[in-house]
Amino acid sequence: MVKDNFELNPYEVSGKIDYDKIVSEFGLKILNNDILQRLKEKTGELHPFLRRKIFFAHRDLDKLLDRIEKGERFFLYTGCGPSGPIHLGHIATWRFTKWLQEKFDVELWFQFTDDEKFLFKDKSFEEIKNWTYQNMLDVAALGFDPKKTHFIIDSVHAGILYPEALKVAKKITFSTIKASFGFTNSNNIGSIFYTAMQTVPVFLPNVLNGKKELCLIPLGIDQDPHFRISRDIVEKLGFEKPIVIHSKMMSPINGPEGKMSSSDPNKAILLTDDEKTVRKKINKYAFSGGRDTLEDHRKFGGNPDIDVSYLWLQYFEEDDSVLENIYNDYKSGKLLSGELKSILINKINDFLKKHQEKRRLIEKNDLLKEFIFEKKC
Ligand code: TRP
């Protein structure tokens, strides 16, 4: 845990995150040009999130690249904690994961942690079950390959997960959990066990298939503490440490601190929002780096580096040169805050329109079952 003016762990993200500090305290490596170049040799191009340093750090990616060069295969693992509607902050990791799946043509194991959300949130199991279903629709609609994607739901696939989680749990002490997550004696006992469940997919495919493939985990950096624990113990169980690739947290709508959250639905863009709602939320709440008056803005220019509309556009405008022009025009005062917001609104609405149509078709044609791992338990 990093103590400062900010907090960053799986259960709390607040304040202005100092990513340099995190990298040194967590012991991560930066995705520097050398490693990005090596990756590019294999993928042909770099995803915009890599070019823009949204994915910016890693653990052992060099080792994965060595092994890929030897002709070895790997699998992807990421997840979703189903406690509410999916918002734009969740999907950056998953869009990037989809790109990795396409580029490397690999299997993806996608964990839905209904147990975690039941234990940590003040919600009934019924509510969490409903969010699990709703969230699975959104994840599936992002376009993963159903033949190569396996959704696992902790409570549903418990028969497969639990024996492995036990082996993990036996290697973790309560003091490690307290130090990693800031828990106290008043945390419920389920929450103390939970990280064992999140470790299991790191090696589960190898258990099921009898292979020895490396695991690559794309994640939001707040999830790293779980896998620091995993990396310490899976070798004791006869598996290799997972490779991790980390993204920064997408800024909330009201300013570049903390992370986006759906607990206040006005402050996050949900994947189910319609065009009017998106327009209204961004116009009303998106933190602006513009000047107070039109005159000042034209004269002194705006500050794109703290402007949420600009920061978000990095996730939705694929073309680097278009983005660069917007940056420069905003900084020089040529582009106004309202104009920048409307560029963003149109981009998000285009994205959501397609997404919502795919989601509708998946639900209507009952296609989720193609994604859910067939339980043999
Ligand atoms: N704990 C994560 C959440 O609350 C969900 C999750 C499970 C996850 N397994 C993961 C996230 C692996 C990233 C990678 O959202």
Side-chain angles (χ1 to χ4, degrees), residues 72-178:
E72 283 185 34
R73 299 197 59 77
F74 66 97
F75 65 89
L76 290 160
Y77 160 39
T78 193
C80 163
S83 65
I86 299 300
H87 56 65
L88 297 183
H90 291 117
I91 61 171
T93 304
W94 306 337
R95 290 167 67 198
F96 180 64
T97 303
K98 177 191 170 226
W99 179 82
L100 287 170
Q101 181 177 54
E102 272 170 19
K103 291 290 170 190
F104 290 100
D105 190 28
V106 288
E107 308 271 319
L108 163 65
W109 293 80
F110 204 113
Q111 182 178 36
F112 290 85
T113 57
D114 56 350
D115 54 347
E116 175 188 27
K117 295 298 141 171
F118 175 68
L119 291 164
F120 285 90
K121 302 275 175 177
D122 189 16
K123 297 208 166 145
S124 70
F125 201 67
E126 279 310 304
E127 283 173 276
I128 297 290
K129 259 169 95 168
N130 176 47
W131 285 121
T132 304
Y133 173 71
Q134 299 296 334
N135 291 181
M136 285 195 297
L137 290 174
D138 278 313
V139 172
L142 291 173
F144 295 107
D145 176 355
K147 289 194 194 68
K148 293 197 162 209
T149 303
H150 314 287
F151 287 1
I152 34 179
I153 306 149
D154 285 353
S155 73
V156 174
H157 296 92
I160 298 172
L161 297 167
Y162 190 62
E164 304 307 324
L166 282 176
K167 297 173 200 167
V168 173
K170 200 172 177 178
K171 303 272 181 230
I172 306 176
T173 65
F174 185 25
S175 62
T176 298
I177 296 300
K178 281 191 193 170

Side-chain angles (χ1 to χ4, degrees), residues 22-33:
I22 298 267
V23 165
S24 69
E25 296 217 4
F26 284 15
L28 310 178
K29 286 205 193 111
I30 290 288
L31 284 172
N32 61 21
N33 286 341

